[in-house]
Amino acid sequence: MKIYITKYALTVGIKEEYAETSDLDECATVRKPGDYPQYFYGNDWHVTKEEAICKAEMMRIKKIASLSKQITKLEKLKF
């Protein structure tokens, strides 16, 4: 089954892979020849590209808010 992986969306983008999925524990397993299997759980993978894009946008907005807080804290520092 084709899945879209958003676990590392902010560093490498949304990855499109073929994986075995399990409805029981919401796990997706990506197996590539000569490599260890990769496991993705919960919101780290999506079935549709639209869901993956929505999740990546939410991750981006959350990261921007976090960085804005850090910038504000640093600007308030006085030495």
Side-chain angles (χ1 to χ4, degrees), residues 53-64:
I53 291 171
C54 183
K55 172 66 176 176
E57 278 296 316
M58 288 190 317
M59 290 169 66
R60 185 181 69 83
I61 290 168
K62 188 174 177 180
K63 183 69 172 183
I64 290 171

Side-chain angles (χ1 to χ4, degrees), residues 21 33 37:
T21 59

Side-chain angles (χ1 to χ4, degrees), residues 25-79:
D25 56 0
E26 297 179 355
C27 177
T29 306
V30 177
R31 298 180 193 275
K32 293 184 181 178
D35 208 356
Y36 290 104
Q38 293 178 306
Y39 300 96
F40 300 96
Y41 297 93
N43 285 334
D44 290 342
W45 64 278
H46 305 275
V47 177
T48 66
K49 190 167 189 166
E50 292 78 23
E51 288 176 353
I53 291 171
C54 183
K55 172 66 176 176
E57 278 296 316
M58 288 190 317
M59 290 169 66
R60 185 181 69 83
I61 290 168
K62 188 174 177 180
K63 183 69 172 183
I64 290 171
S66 172
L67 291 173
S68 293
K69 280 184 178 179
Q70 285 183 339
I71 290 170
T72 303
K73 278 177 77 173
L74 288 172
E75 288 175 341
K76 289 180 181 179
L77 278 177
K78 300 290 183 203
F79 297 105

